[in-house]
Amino acid sequence: MTDALNALLKAAAEKVKAMSPEAREEMMRKQREGYVKAEMSWPKPKFHYENGVKVYHSYEDYLND
């Protein structure tokens, strides 16, 4: 890890420690909301079954499953 990244991580951790419980809960709520939005917009894989074997329509679909 670079020194610059290490300094940024340390500063972020200090900011979170300094937050009030209410501010920390609001931050976590926003992070959960962002995670859900990202998951919902993720493409659904396309596939079908042939003789009991899952066959993906593309390599991208395979990676998104």
Side-chain angles (χ1 to χ4, degrees):
M1 199 173 339
T2 66
D3 291 337
L5 179 57
N6 206 11
L8 289 171
L9 291 171
K10 186 177 180 181
E14 288 173 5
K15 282 184 179 182
V16 172
K17 278 184 186 178
M19 287 179 163
S20 68
E22 295 81 16
R24 190 177 296 146
E25 179 55 38
E26 178 64 14
M27 177 192 70
M28 297 300 278
R29 184 191 66 74
K30 286 180 180 178
Q31 286 182 348
R32 283 190 301 271
E33 188 176 287
Y35 177 81
V36 169
K37 286 179 181 177
E39 283 293 311
M40 290 179 70
S41 67
W42 197 259
K44 302 297 180 229
K46 296 178 182 97
F47 59 88
H48 65 276
Y49 286 95
E50 289 180 14
N51 300 322
V53 176
K54 191 184 244 185
V55 178
Y56 292 93
H57 294 194
S58 69
Y59 185 64
E60 182 179 284
D61 290 317
Y62 169 74
L63 295 176
N64 286 331
D65 196 12

